[in-house]
Amino acid sequence: MTVDPTFEQVTQNVEPNYVEASRSHDPSNNMKRTDPFQFGSRFLEKGDDVFEFNAWDHVEPDDEFKAFAQTQYAKQRETRVSDFDRRRFNMEPAKWWDKFYKNNTANFFKDRKWLRQEFPILAEVTQKDAGPKVVLEIGAGAGNTAFPLLANNENEHLKVHACDFSKYAVKVMRESEHYNEKYMSADVWDAAAVPSEESDSLPPGLTEGSVDVVILIFIFSALAPNQWDHAIRNIYRLLKPGGRVLFRDYGRGDLAQVRFKKGRYMTENFYVRGDGTRVYFFEKDQLVDMWGTWSAKDGLQIPIGDEASAEASVEEAQPAEEPSAEAKQSAIDNGAFEVLNMGVDRRLIVNRGTKQKMYRCWMQGNFVKRGGPAIETATEPAQ
């Protein structure tokens, strides 16, 4: 019998377990990490020259950057997106991503070969004896996750469904020399689609309870907050009991957020880029609550305040009431997903030439749909 974790256990014990701190640039202690949620081991220690290396792991922003960030946030709120532009960017997000991919044909994102280490289950499903496995990548873009996954595949029974709501991105995947219909299907699909008389809101070729693994890499940040519930519901419907969600996205305070200038702020933590695409920056506890308390019956349980409607102006929005501890406990008890891990990947990137420091922050989660045994994963990351 499996005992579900309490709300306190989920929120307090989601930090990754770390091996003993090491200096990756020290040849005498340069061991490969064994915990996928360790996020590197180049620790910045007292007395170090910060500009000795290009990057450091687990570095909290210094007071100067924090003060700068708060000043930037205040300026952003003062010059938010107009009501007209907010509606324009939220009405047809696929149009802006189509333009993005058309304008970036020659410089798409690099292949995400690192995913097999961050999420060892992706190595498991591609093993020769893994058996029939279905992987759904949502927001597949130009195939920078799907194609490396297939390049390492030895499983004759693997099927990868790569979906994106940009028609142009799907066209790029289908025309790639790496596209193999035996193992892969690329289709247009909106993760936040709502069932209608014409559509059941699920991707082509997939039915309820048919997916083993869902990959969400920088996808939820592209959705408006009022779309999160629809997206989680679709993912829940698609996953088998025991199926996994692999999540990585932007964290609150990331340099990309702090750098936004005037006219880009839509609602708190939610912005529109210069190319018309949208981006949200998450808090760790927010994601734990979102996935840990969502239920098929009641949907999203976290209070999201003025983020509840991407169409509402800040003045119109009303702050949501924080639920009681008892309400949170009840929500976690009835939640559809178990939060296996939720880590904060903080890095300090430096420009050694200009002596510039850049603080980056990403969120990484691993969730399992309750109701069945979780898919087994290796104890060691893929080599």
Side-chain angles (χ1 to χ4, degrees):
M1 176 179 175
T2 302
V3 179
D4 290 338
T6 65
F7 178 82
E8 288 75 14
Q9 288 173 326
V10 169
T11 55
Q12 294 176 8
N13 298 329
V14 291
E15 288 287 359
N17 296 317
Y18 296 106
V19 297
E20 185 178 354
S22 64
R23 305 295 297 274
S24 61
H25 50 288
D26 181 355
S28 66
N29 193 8
N30 190 20
M31 299 179 65
K32 189 178 182 70
R33 79 190 204 208
T34 58
D35 181 353
F37 280 72
Q38 182 180 334
F39 306 127
S41 56
R42 179 171 286 169
F43 291 79
L44 182 62
E45 300 172 355
K46 186 176 181 180
D48 284 335
D49 176 5
V50 69
F51 297 108
E52 181 182 2
F53 298 94
N54 294 326
W56 302 86
D57 302 304
H58 315 292
V59 180
E60 290 284 342
D62 59 23
D63 291 340
E64 181 182 0
F65 181 82
K66 289 178 179 178
F68 173 68
Q70 292 303 318
T71 300
Q72 286 291 99
Y73 298 152
K75 291 180 179 179
Q76 291 166 1
R77 296 184 186 106
E78 291 173 355
T79 57
R80 53 186 175 271
V81 175
S82 67
D83 290 345
F84 173 80
D85 280 341
R86 183 166 49 249
R87 295 188 183 93
R88 183 164 65 99
F89 294 127
N90 285 325
M91 286 294 290
E92 298 180 276
K95 178 181 75 172
W96 302 104
W97 281 106
D98 272 336
K99 289 184 177 181
F100 169 85
Y101 285 110
K102 288 178 182 178
N103 293 333
N104 292 276
T105 304
N107 60 338
F108 281 126
F109 302 111
K110 294 181 180 179
D111 285 348
R112 293 165 174 162
K113 299 176 182 179
W114 46 268
L115 281 177
R116 284 164 59 87
Q117 175 163 315
E118 301 301 317
F119 300 108
I121 192 173
L122 295 178
E124 292 291 301
V125 299
T126 58
Q127 290 183 358
K128 187 175 182 178
D129 58 352
K133 299 295 179 186
V134 176
V135 175
L136 168 63
E137 185 193 2
I138 300 175
N144 301 99
T145 294
F147 292 139
L149 185 64
L150 292 180
N152 291 284
N153 180 46
E154 297 180 351
N155 181 4
E156 286 294 315
H157 304 288
L158 176 70
K159 186 69 174 184
V160 176
H161 288 259
C163 295
D164 200 286
F165 64 6
S166 166
K167 295 179 181 178
Y168 193 85
V170 172
K171 177 177 179 289
V172 170
M173 284 190 286
R174 289 178 175 175
E175 293 178 351
S176 170
E177 62 179 320
H178 305 295
Y179 187 65
N180 184 342
E181 291 186 345
K182 178 180 178 181
Y183 300 107
M184 179 177 174
S185 174
D187 295 288
V188 177
W189 182 60
D190 181 357
V194 180
S196 65
E197 293 181 1
E198 295 77 25
S199 171
D200 66 356
S201 78
L202 299 184
L206 291 174
T207 58
E208 291 196 12
S210 64
V211 175
D212 295 286
V213 179
V214 169
I215 303 174
L216 298 170
I217 308 297
F218 300 107
I219 299 308
F220 262 58
S221 57
L223 301 175
N226 60 356
Q227 295 180 296
W228 295 339
D229 183 76
H230 298 306
I232 296 177
R233 186 169 298 279
N234 286 333
I235 293 166
Y236 173 81
R237 291 176 61 201
L238 286 163
L239 277 174
K240 298 176 181 177
R244 296 280 282 276
V245 177
L246 313 181
F247 182 99
R248 187 170 173 86
D249 224 312
Y250 294 103
R252 168 78 164 167
D254 181 75
L255 181 64
Q257 177 181 16
V258 176
R259 276 181 169 174
F260 274 110
K261 304 300 183 182
K262 63 181 181 180
R264 298 299 174 196
Y265 176 97
M266 296 221 283
T267 64
E268 193 68 4
N269 297 326
F270 190 46
Y271 302 79
V272 60
R273 300 184 181 97
D275 58 13
T277 61
R278 307 170 304 180
V279 58
Y280 188 95
F281 296 85
F282 291 96
E283 296 274 10
K284 174 184 171 182
D285 291 345
Q286 175 187 22
L287 289 171
V288 171
D289 287 353
M290 179 191 301
W291 288 92
T293 66
W294 188 93
S295 72
K297 177 183 177 182
D298 299 317
L300 202 60
Q301 299 296 293
I302 65 169
I304 53 179
D306 63 6
E307 301 155 5
S309 173
E311 300 301 325
S313 69
V314 175
E315 291 89 351
E316 295 169 344
Q318 297 297 320
E321 183 180 350
E322 180 71 20
S324 65
E326 292 76 12
K328 283 187 176 181
Q329 181 64 64
S330 176
I332 204 72
D333 289 342
N334 294 287
F337 296 92
E338 178 184 354
V339 179
L340 300 181
N341 291 96
M342 176 54 68
V344 181
D345 185 1
R346 292 189 182 276
R347 298 182 195 175
L348 172 60
I349 313 296
V350 301
N351 185 318
R352 299 164 73 183
T354 63
K355 303 300 181 182
Q356 183 181 12
K357 295 190 290 185
M358 296 165 281
Y359 292 94
R360 304 305 311 269
C361 181
W362 299 282
M363 300 291 157
Q364 186 163 305
N366 197 328
F367 321 126
V368 60
K369 178 180 175 179
R370 289 191 169 110
I375 301 172
E376 294 297 327
T377 61
T379 57
E380 298 287 334
Q383 301 297 314

